[in-house]
């Protein structure tokens, strides 16, 4: 057991202290390293988890999870911390012993360490980082800040006959869009809480809403169909321009034993899979079948759906999202990568957006808004909505300040709900980890006249093939595997001490992923191969099988 504060959102210092404590307490289970520094000097932490007494993490098939690509999506960090905690808690359970003996997990709890720290302290929205983008200087217009001194940045409204908002007749806390036939006021102007730039706008009574000054988006900065501003807002000046995203990619490229990935985001309650820019028909059939099989397992754990981003999660059907991490991880790194959108406020409020997952954010009705307020009053004990309170604005005079505390209602669940929210997905990540290749190497000898024939049997007992995906094999994203021979005492007569050998199939090449046995031939000897050397004289041989996605396994044999 660890002393993780469950159902709590951790600051950077709290997170760092806990990670250091766990890895110092369990050095044979977990090890901590920094894979880079943020511009504000914070470490980007990664914890490697395996049974180190049975080999290094780098020598085993491994899984990667991360959180907080987006600064305000702090629930993802907690899912990562709880994953570490849960593995420590279950360390002696049979299934965890089996997993952590033969495989490893890398956990990066907080990619946007600078942005998340600001959000946690201020409850002020930042996409990924506090760095100005796309403009190097603050844009003219509204500068969001706390006006009434309550420590929050909410909304402010000003009554005006030409206001574009009116009070709902069903709940006077709610403002709804004014329609042409709405003639009975009061009507309001509505803005984020803040102060206007007088020099730019002249008359602060009629400000123009500015672009987001902190619109840099790490999840548009990866080298997958990357497009620059303004075609892809938030993309940054070039792929991997940001130290945080570069640190992630550098680590993955340096640790090619990673065969599966899940990245935690919020806040729709859905598991997303590639592609972002193309239909499922463009994906190799085997990869799509595996994605769907793993997605079904996730649905069994969570009750949420697993969907294609392109088909079911497009913000604009006419414009694809580019520069996304899961697309890069699948297309350029060659593994199945999922994006987990934790937390569904619509589901908790009793709203059904299952047919249009993004409809909740772009097309809520007045009745939907009323349902959300009732959810706040009941399940959230009124904590997520601040009633409108009078305040004095330095430019506008009398205003009212109030509205949703979005950070712990819409963007993330209230802290007391963290445990229930993250556990189902953690269980899924362990299942995905279990699906990785399982390399097995055995040796035997046969006496043939005066010579000894040494035979190495390489076998994949895992669900996925050793190359993981079809796209990895087709695009040579993984190298051929290595088979190396070391001899002590005996002389090599025929064969090479270093062979480059082909990848092996896994159990997924069967009807378990939706194909009939006649299509693939079922489970065949393609998951097994044998390689031989001819030797003269007694001795000892050590054979090592290693390469991308499988790590390293060795076996030793002695003969007279």
């Amino acid at each position: 057991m660890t002393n993780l504060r469950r159902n709590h959102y951790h600051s950077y210092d709290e997170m760092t202290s806990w990670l250091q404590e766990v890895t110092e307490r369990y050095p044979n289970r977990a090890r901590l390293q920094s894979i880079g520094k943020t511009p504000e000097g914070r470490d980007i932490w990664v914890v490697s988890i395996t049974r180190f007494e049975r080999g290094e993490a780098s020598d085993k098939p491994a899984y990667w999870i991360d959180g907080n690509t987006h600064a305000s999506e702090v629930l993802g960090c907690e899912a990562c911390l709880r994953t570490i905690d849960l593995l420590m808690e279950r360390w002696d359970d049979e299934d965890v012993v089996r997993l952590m003996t033969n495989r490893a997990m890398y956990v990066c709890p907080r990619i946007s360490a600078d942005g998340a720290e600001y959000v946690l302290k201020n409850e002020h929205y930042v996409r990924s980082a506090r760095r100005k983008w796309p403009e190097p200087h603050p844009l003219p217009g509204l500068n969001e800040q706390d006006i009434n001194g309550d420590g929050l940045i909410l909304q402010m409204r000003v009554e005006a006959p030409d206001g574009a908002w009116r009070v709902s007749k069903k709940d006077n806390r709610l403002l709804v869009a004014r329609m042409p036939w709405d003639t009975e006021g009061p009507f309001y102007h509505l803005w984020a809480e803040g102060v206007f730039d007088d020099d730019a706008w002249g008359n602060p009574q009629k400000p123009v809403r500015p672009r987001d000054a902190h619109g840099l988006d790490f999840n548009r900065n990866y080298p997958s169909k990357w497009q620059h501003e303004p075609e892809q807002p938030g993309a940054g000046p070039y792929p991997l321009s940001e130290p945080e995203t570069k640190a992630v990619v550098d680590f993955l490229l340096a640790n090619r034993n990673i065969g599966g990935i899940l990245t935690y985001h919020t806040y729709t309650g859905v598991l997303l899979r590639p592609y972002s820019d193309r239909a499922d028909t463009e994906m190799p059939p085997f990869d799509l079948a595996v994605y769907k099989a793993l997605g079904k397992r996730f649905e069994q754990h969570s009750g949420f759906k697993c969907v294609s981003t392109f088909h079911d999660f497009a913000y604009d059907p006419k414009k694809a999202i580019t520069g996304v991490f899961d697309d890069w991880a699948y297309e350029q790194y060659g593994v199945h990568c999922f994006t987990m959108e934790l937390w569904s406020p619509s589901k908790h409020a009793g709203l059904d957006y299952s047919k249009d997952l993004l409809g909740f954010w772009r097309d809520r009705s007045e009745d939907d808004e009323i349902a959300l307020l009732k959810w706040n009053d009941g399940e959230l004990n009124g904590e997520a909505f601040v009633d409108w309170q009078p305040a004095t604005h330095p430019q506008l005079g009398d205003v009212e300040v109030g509205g949703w505390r979005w950070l712990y209602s819409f963007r993330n669940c209230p802290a007391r709900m963290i445990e229930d929210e993250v556990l189902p997905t953690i269980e899924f990540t362990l299942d995905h980890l279990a699906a990785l290749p399982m390399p097995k190497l055995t040796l035997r000898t046969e006496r043939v006249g005066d010579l000894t024939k040494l035979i190495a049997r390489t076998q994949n007992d895992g669900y996925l093939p050793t190359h993981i995906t079809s796209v990895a094999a087709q695009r040579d994203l993984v190298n051929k595997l290595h088979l190396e021979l070391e001899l002590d005492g005996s002389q090599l007569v025929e064969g090479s001490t270093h062979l480059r050998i082909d990848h092996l199939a896994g159990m997924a090449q069967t009807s378990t992923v939706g194909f009939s046995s006649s299509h693939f031939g079922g489970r065949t000897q393609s998951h097994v191969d044998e390689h031989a050397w001819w030797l003269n004289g007694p001795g000892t041989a050590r054979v090592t099988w290693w390469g991308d996605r499988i790590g390293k396994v060795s076996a030793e044999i002695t003969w007279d």
Side-chain angles (χ1 to χ4, degrees):
M1 295 290 291
T2 77
N3 66 347
L4 178 72
R5 290 183 64 187
R6 300 177 187 176
N7 293 329
H8 169 75
Y9 286 105
H10 290 75
S11 69
Y12 175 82
D13 287 343
E14 290 174 329
M15 175 190 72
T16 298
S17 177
W18 184 78
L19 292 175
Q20 292 171 338
E21 179 181 331
V22 168
T23 52
E24 289 171 4
R25 181 177 179 182
Y26 299 113
N28 288 328
R29 304 180 187 182
R31 295 177 183 174
L32 181 65
Q33 69 181 106
S34 172
I35 64 170
K37 290 276 191 180
T38 68
E40 294 180 18
R42 295 182 176 88
D43 286 293
I44 303 169
W45 296 117
V46 167
V47 178
S48 305
I49 306 173
T50 192
R51 299 182 80 87
F52 284 99
E53 71 274 14
R54 297 293 296 274
E56 295 297 315
S58 58
D59 291 342
K60 303 173 185 180
Y63 194 78
W64 167 278
I65 64 172
D66 65 57
N68 253 153
T69 291
H70 291 142
S72 63
E73 297 172 9
V74 290
L75 181 57
C77 175
E78 302 310 320
C80 290
L81 299 182
R82 185 65 177 97
T83 299
I84 300 168
D85 178 60
L86 182 138
L87 286 171
M88 299 302 105
E89 176 187 339
R90 297 184 185 174
W91 196 253
D92 294 323
D93 291 1
E94 183 178 351
D95 57 342
V96 174
V97 169
R98 183 172 59 253
L99 274 179
M100 292 293 104
T101 298
N102 300 296
R103 295 182 173 88
M105 180 173 280
Y106 299 110
V107 183
C108 181
R110 183 165 288 166
I111 294 173
S112 177
D114 293 346
E117 192 70 2
Y118 175 82
V119 168
L120 285 166
K121 290 180 178 179
N122 297 279
E123 292 195 27
H124 181 198
Y125 177 77
V126 169
R127 183 58 168 167
S128 288
R130 284 279 290 163
R131 306 188 283 284
K132 300 293 184 182
W133 180 262
E135 301 293 338
H137 304 291
L139 291 170
L142 178 65
N143 301 301
E144 296 184 20
Q145 58 185 269
D146 179 14
I147 294 300
N148 62 354
D150 64 357
L152 303 173
I153 300 176
L154 301 170
Q155 290 179 299
M156 57 185 186
R157 68 183 190 182
V158 178
E159 187 172 349
D162 60 343
W165 300 85
R166 66 171 177 83
V167 175
S168 169
K169 296 179 180 178
K170 299 178 180 180
D171 190 313
N172 60 16
R173 294 173 294 178
L174 175 65
L175 294 182
V176 296
R178 180 181 180 181
M179 302 304 292
W181 46 85
D182 291 329
T183 57
E184 294 184 13
F187 303 114
Y188 292 88
H189 293 310
L190 182 65
W191 301 289
E193 187 177 358
V195 176
F196 302 107
D197 185 332
D198 286 326
D199 294 335
W201 301 108
N203 181 2
Q205 292 284 0
K206 296 182 178 180
V208 177
R209 186 186 180 107
R211 293 177 67 183
D212 184 3
H214 302 108
L216 188 63
D217 189 337
F218 290 167
N219 206 32
R220 305 293 183 269
N221 190 236
Y222 288 93
S224 176
K225 304 295 193 319
W226 183 90
Q227 292 181 322
H228 57 76
E229 296 270 346
E231 284 81 2
Q232 180 56 75
Y238 55 87
L240 302 183
S241 60
E242 308 312 305
E244 294 90 339
T245 56
K246 188 176 186 302
V248 170
V249 168
D250 284 348
F251 183 88
L252 292 174
L253 293 177
N255 293 271
R256 301 187 65 86
N257 58 316
I258 294 170
I261 294 174
L262 183 137
T263 178
Y264 279 108
H265 290 242
T266 64
Y267 39 103
T268 309
V270 67
L271 186 67
L272 302 176
R273 58 169 175 82
Y275 294 113
S276 297
D277 64 336
R278 277 163 289 165
D280 281 351
T281 53
E282 300 295 314
M283 185 178 290
F286 174 74
D287 294 349
L288 180 60
V290 170
Y291 262 124
K292 288 184 175 181
L294 293 172
K296 286 181 181 178
R297 183 58 173 165
F298 166 78
E299 291 170 358
Q300 292 170 356
H301 278 300
S302 68
F304 290 121
K305 295 196 299 184
C306 176
V307 303
S308 156
T309 301
F310 179 84
H311 291 288
D312 301 291
F313 207 76
Y315 296 98
D316 182 350
K318 297 180 181 179
K319 187 175 182 180
I321 300 172
T322 61
V324 181
F325 178 57
D326 60 11
D327 281 348
W328 174 85
Y330 170 63
E331 283 197 281
Q332 306 299 326
Y333 190 69
V335 304
H336 301 96
C337 179
F338 293 94
T339 297
M340 179 64 228
E341 294 275 347
L342 290 164
W343 180 238
S344 174
S346 62
K347 181 179 179 181
H348 279 264
L351 304 176
D352 183 9
Y353 277 86
S354 57
K355 295 182 181 179
D356 182 7
L357 293 168
L358 292 173
F360 177 75
W361 306 111
R362 59 192 176 197
D363 192 29
R364 290 199 300 269
S365 69
E366 183 174 352
D367 287 340
D368 290 346
E369 300 287 356
I370 296 298
L372 288 167
L373 285 170
K374 289 182 178 178
W375 166 62
N376 166 70
D377 296 342
E379 188 174 0
L380 303 187
N381 300 318
E383 298 170 359
F385 191 93
V386 177
D387 288 344
W388 298 98
Q389 300 292 330
T392 301
H393 191 276
Q395 297 162 313
L396 302 178
D398 293 337
V399 300
E400 291 178 281
V401 174
W404 285 100
R405 294 184 64 180
W406 55 270
L407 185 60
Y408 302 119
S409 54
F410 288 86
R411 190 75 57 163
N412 306 276
C413 65
R416 63 180 177 275
M417 298 180 180
I418 293 175
E419 181 84 352
D420 291 339
E421 186 63 28
V422 303
L423 282 177
T425 307
I426 294 174
E427 298 293 351
F428 167 72
T429 62
L430 298 182
D431 284 343
H432 193 177
L433 172 62
L436 298 185
M438 177 74 75
K440 182 179 180 182
L441 174 65
T442 56
L443 303 178
R444 71 180 191 274
T445 59
E446 297 176 1
R447 188 71 175 176
V448 182
D450 294 334
L451 299 178
T452 297
K453 184 180 182 182
L454 171 64
I455 302 166
R457 179 184 174 93
T458 55
Q459 181 170 329
N460 176 24
D461 287 343
Y463 178 75
L464 293 172
T466 57
H467 55 75
I468 305 294
T469 64
S470 292
V471 75
Q474 293 167 2
R475 299 184 179 181
D476 293 326
L477 299 177
V478 290
N479 298 306
K480 279 193 170 185
L481 302 175
H482 300 257
L483 196 64
E484 294 184 343
L485 170 67
E486 297 177 72
L487 291 173
D488 183 10
S490 184
Q491 293 180 329
L492 180 64
V493 175
E494 184 176 329
S496 173
T497 58
H498 188 174
L499 302 175
R500 299 301 300 271
I501 64 176
D502 291 332
H503 286 268
L504 298 178
M507 286 184 286
Q509 274 91 340
T510 71
S511 59
T512 57
V513 292
F515 292 105
S516 67
S517 59
S518 62
H519 187 93
F520 275 109
R523 179 65 177 264
T524 69
Q525 288 295 85
S526 62
H527 74 294
V528 176
D529 203 357
E530 290 191 346
H531 308 271
W533 299 267
W534 292 91
L535 310 170
N536 185 24
T540 297
R542 180 178 179 82
V543 177
T544 302
W545 181 30
W546 62 276
D548 297 348
R549 310 299 184 249
I550 69 166
K552 181 187 297 183
V553 291
S554 298
E556 192 170 291
I557 190 171
T558 299
W559 65 95
D560 296 325

